[in-house]
C-alpha cells in the first residue's frame, strides 16, 4: 500500500507498506484523505525529534475496514475522523474528562507498519499518510456519511486545537472580546471558535494582508496588517481601549506572547497555542497579572475527541463550522513534495493529501 515515510534523512512516497491487523481495542481504517501541517514537516526538519523510520501524518479521515476484539462503537463501513489522542481511558485524568493530560497519550510510539521486513514507527499514534492505518479505538470517531471525508480530514488536529482552545480552554463567552495573533490554520480555527461562542469583537493580526479575507470569513470583525502598522498594540487598543478578554498567540514567538499578555483587560486570559523552540523563555511584568489575569497553556484544544469531533461534525452540517473553506488545495499522495512546499504559502490554510485512485480530484 502507499504511504509517506521519513527514514531519518528525507521523506519519500512508497507503495510497499504493510500494516498489521487490528488487535484488542484497535481499529483498521482505510484513509481517504489526510491534512498536512507543520508538525509533519517538523519531524522531517528535526524540530520534533522522532524515531525513524516513521510513517508520517496525524490528521485524517476514512472508512473503518476492520475492528479488533472489544470494539463496539464503530463497525466496518463507518466513516470516521481520526484523533492523535491515544489516551488510555482509565487513568485519573481520563476519568476526570481530561484525556489530553493522559500520560499514555504521547511519547510511546508503536510500530504497526512494516516495509521490506523492517518495522516502522507510527507518528502521533496515527500515521494518516498511509493508505491504511491501525489506531486505538478511542482515536476513531464516527461521523455522518454526508460529511465529506476531504473536509473531515482537517478536524482531527487543526480544528480540534483552534476551535477547542476558544470553546474548551478559554471558554469564550457571548459578547466578549478576542485577539488572535497569527491567522494561519490554527488561528483561523480560533477565529471560528470565537464566532461560534458569540464573541462580539474579534481582532485578527497577521503580517500578510492576504490573510484578511479568510480571517473575516472565519469570524474576525477587525483585521490588523502587522506589516503595515508600526505599533500593533496601539492599533489593537484603538479598537479595544481597555484591552481584550482573550488573547490567543498562534505563532510561537516569545515577543508576541509578551504582546498578548500586555494587551489583556482585567480578568483577561492569554492562551498560548504557537510552539516556540523547546528552550525558549518568555517574560512579562508580574504586577500586570494581579488584576485576575491568566496565562494558559493549551494542549490539543483541551479536547475530548469522541465528544468534540462529533460536535464539530454536527456544527458543520448546520453551516456553523467551516471545513470546506479550510481545504485550500488537494493533492494525490504521490505529490507529497508539492503539497509540502505549499505549507508556508500564506494563501493556503490546509493542504490535503488524497488516497483516492479515482479520477476527479478537486483542482489544485
Amino acid at each position: 500500500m502507499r504511504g509517506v515515510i521519513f527514514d531519518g534523512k528525507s521523506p519519500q512516497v512508497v507503495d510497499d507498506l504493510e500494516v498489521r491487523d487490528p488487535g484488542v481495542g484497535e481499529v483498521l481504517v482505510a484513509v481517504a484523505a489526510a491534512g498536512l501541517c507543520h508538525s509533519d514537516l517538523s519531524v522531517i526538519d528535526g524540530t520534533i525529534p522522532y524515531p525513524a523510520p516513521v510513517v508520517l501524518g496525524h490528521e485524517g479521515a476514512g472508512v473503518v475496514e476492520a475492528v479488533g476484539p472489544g470494539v463496539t462503537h464503530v463497525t466496518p463501513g463507518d466513516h470516521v475522523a481520526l484523533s492523535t489522542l491515544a489516551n488510555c481511558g482509565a487513568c485519573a485524568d481520563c476519568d476526570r474528562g481530561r484525556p489530553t493530560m493522559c500520560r499514555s497519550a504521547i511519547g510511546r510510539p508503536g510500530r504497526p507498519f512494516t516495509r521490506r521486513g523492517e518495522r516502522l514507527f507510527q507518528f502521533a499514534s496515527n500515521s494518516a499518510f498511509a493508505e491504511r492505518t491501525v489506531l486505538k479505538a478511542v482515536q476513531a470517531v464516527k461521523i455522518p456519511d454526508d460529511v465529506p471525508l476531504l473536509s473531515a480530514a482537517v478536524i482531527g488536529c487543526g480544528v480540534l486545537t483552534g476551535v477547542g482552545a476558544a470553546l474548551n480552554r478559554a471558554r469564550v463567552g457571548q459578547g466578549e472580546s478576542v485577539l488572535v495573533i497569527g491567522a494561519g490554520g490554527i488561528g483561523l480555527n480560533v477565529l471560528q471558535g470565537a464566532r461560534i461562542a458569540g464573541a462580539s469583537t474579534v481582532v485578527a493580526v497577521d503580517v500578510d494582508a492576504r490573510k484578511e479575507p479568510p480571517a473575516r470569513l472565519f469570524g474576525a470583525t477587525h483585521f490588523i496588517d502587522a506589516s503595515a502598522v508600526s505599533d500593533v498594540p496601539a492599533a489593537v487598543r484603538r479598537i479595544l481601549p481597555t484591552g481584550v478578554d482573550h488573547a490567543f498567540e498562534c505563532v510561537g514567538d516569545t515577543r508576541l506572547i509578551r504582546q498578548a499578555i500586555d494587551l489583556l483587560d482585567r480578568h483577561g486570559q492569554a492562551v498560548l497555542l504557537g510552539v516556540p523552540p523547546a528552550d525558549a523563555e518568555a517574560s512579562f511584568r508580574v504586577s500586570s497579572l494581579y488584576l485576575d489575569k491568566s496565562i494558559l497553556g493549551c494542549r490539543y484544544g483541551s479536547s475530548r475527541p469522541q465528544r468534540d469531533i462529533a460536535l464539530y461534525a454536527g456544527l458543520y452540517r448546520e453551516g456553523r463550522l467551516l471545513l470546506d473553506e479550510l481545504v485550500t488545495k488537494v493533492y494525490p499522495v504521490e505529490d507529497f513534495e508539492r503539497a509540502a512546499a505549499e505549507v508556508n504559502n500564506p494563501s493556503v490554510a490546509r493542504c490535503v493529501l488524497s488516497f483516492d485512485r479515482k479520477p476527479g480530484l478537486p483542482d489544485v
Side-chain angles (χ1 to χ4, degrees), residues 14-316:
V14 301
D15 61 4
D16 54 357
L17 275 179
E18 296 180 9
V19 66
R20 63 170 173 78
D21 293 334
V24 175
E26 293 182 330
V27 175
L28 175 67
V29 175
V31 179
L36 172 60
C37 84
H38 285 94
S39 296
D40 302 301
L41 303 185
S42 292
V43 174
I44 296 170
D45 66 22
T47 301
I48 297 178
Y50 212 86
V54 57
V55 180
L56 297 174
H58 67 285
E59 179 183 76
V63 180
V64 175
E65 281 204 346
V67 300
V71 177
T72 59
H73 77 288
V74 292
T75 59
D78 285 345
H79 287 202
V80 292
L82 308 182
S83 158
T84 69
L85 202 60
N87 59 295
C88 71
C91 67
D93 284 307
C94 286
D95 188 55
R96 295 185 185 112
R98 302 188 309 210
T100 59
M101 297 297 104
C102 176
R103 286 171 171 79
S104 297
I106 194 170
R108 302 177 184 178
R111 300 171 75 180
F113 298 96
T114 56
R115 180 176 183 248
R116 299 176 182 175
E118 181 181 20
R119 296 175 68 194
L120 286 77
F121 288 98
Q122 186 169 39
F123 179 52
S125 302
N126 190 307
S127 290
F129 292 172
E131 208 160 357
R132 291 175 182 80
T133 188
V134 168
L135 310 95
K136 283 190 174 183
V138 71
Q139 295 175 258
V141 184
K142 185 176 179 178
I143 59 174
D145 290 355
D146 60 359
V147 176
L149 291 175
L150 278 174
S151 299
V154 302
I155 298 178
C157 179
V159 174
L160 272 183
T161 299
V163 177
L167 300 184
N168 300 330
R169 188 62 169 132
R171 297 186 179 181
V172 174
Q174 289 191 2
E176 292 184 329
S177 58
V178 170
L179 169 67
V180 178
I181 301 174
I186 298 299
L188 290 177
N189 281 298
V190 176
L191 289 169
Q192 68 171 334
R195 170 178 52 77
I196 291 168
S200 59
T201 303
V202 181
V203 182
V205 178
D206 201 279
V207 295
D208 195 310
R210 288 173 291 182
K211 297 288 186 68
E212 181 171 2
R216 290 188 179 275
L217 174 66
F218 277 77
T221 59
H222 299 74
F223 183 88
I224 296 173
D225 177 3
S227 68
V229 175
S230 59
D231 189 341
V232 170
V236 173
R237 289 196 178 276
R238 282 194 287 273
I239 301 167
L240 296 162
T242 63
V244 301
D245 295 315
H246 308 276
F248 297 83
E249 201 281 343
C250 304
V251 178
D253 186 312
T254 56
R255 295 169 300 174
L256 300 179
I257 290 172
R258 174 61 184 267
Q259 279 190 12
I261 296 168
D262 288 347
L263 283 167
L264 294 177
D265 197 354
R266 298 182 179 194
H267 203 69
Q269 301 179 130
V271 182
L272 310 185
L273 294 175
V275 182
D279 59 353
E281 297 183 357
S283 64
F284 59 91
R285 289 192 183 93
V286 176
S287 61
S288 70
L289 298 185
Y290 288 144
L291 293 172
D292 283 358
K293 300 179 185 181
S294 305
I295 302 172
L296 305 179
C298 184
R299 170 165 155 72
Y300 205 39
S302 300
S303 63
R304 294 164 62 183
Q306 284 290 332
R307 177 199 68 178
D308 291 349
I309 289 176
L311 170 65
Y312 299 159
L315 291 174
Y316 167 81

Side-chain angles (χ1 to χ4, degrees), residues 323-334:
L323 293 179
D324 303 341
E325 295 81 358
L326 284 170
V327 182
T328 314
K329 294 195 174 184
V330 180
Y331 290 95
V333 66
E334 290 81 5

